[in-house]
């Protein structure tokens, strides 16, 4: 998966993430995906901007979480997912990303 494919996938998932009402940044081994859900529809880019929450995760682990092979809470507990900032936003991101 490329950074562009990851960005497009996230853009599709969060287009109408009105419940998020925050900004989040995914920091991956491929690069950064910035999600600004303070507006509707949410804007997704690869800009490295300050966010309410930063989620640090490898793309392989992100794919495993998306497919259901890795529980996001287990990823957090084992250090595969690191959260900096508002934990509430991180929880909402989990719901939005499905």
């Amino acid at each position: 998966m490329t950074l562009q494919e990851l960005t497009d996938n996230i853009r599709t998932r969060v287009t109408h993430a009105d419940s998020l009402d925050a900004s989040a940044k995914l920091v991956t081994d491929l690069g950064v995906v910035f999600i600004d859900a303070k507006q509707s529809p949410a804007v997704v880019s690869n800009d490295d901007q300050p966010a309410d929450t930063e989620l640090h995760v490898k793309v392989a682990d992100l794919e495993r979480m998306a497919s259901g092979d890795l529980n996001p809470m287990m990823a957090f507990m084992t250090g595969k997912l690191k959260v900096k900032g508002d934990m509430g936003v991180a929880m909402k991101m989990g719901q939005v990303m499905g």
Side-chain angles (χ1 to χ4, degrees):
M1 176 177 286
T2 67
L3 181 59
Q4 187 60 50
E5 290 170 334
L6 175 63
T7 304
D8 291 342
N9 186 315
I10 291 171
R11 184 175 291 119
T12 301
R13 291 175 184 254
V14 302
T15 299
H16 298 290
D18 299 330
S19 63
L20 190 56
D21 193 32
S23 61
K25 180 167 51 173
L26 283 172
V27 181
T28 72
D29 45 333
L30 294 179
V32 172
V33 179
F34 180 78
I35 303 158
D36 183 359
K38 291 181 180 179
Q39 52 189 318
S40 183
V43 175
V44 179
S45 70
N46 297 113
D47 298 338
D48 191 359
Q49 301 179 43
D52 298 318
T53 297
E54 288 185 16
L55 304 167
H56 295 254
V57 63
K58 290 182 180 177
V59 172
D61 291 328
L62 193 60
E63 289 175 323
R64 289 181 58 216
M65 283 187 274
S67 70
D69 290 338
L70 178 61
N71 179 295
M73 189 58 70
M74 188 58 67
F76 177 76
M77 302 277 279
T78 58
K80 292 181 179 185
L81 171 65
K82 295 178 181 150
V83 178
K84 292 183 181 177
D86 190 331
M87 184 61 81
V89 173
M91 298 294 280
K92 287 181 183 178
M93 278 293 297
Q95 295 169 351
V96 167
M97 297 297 286

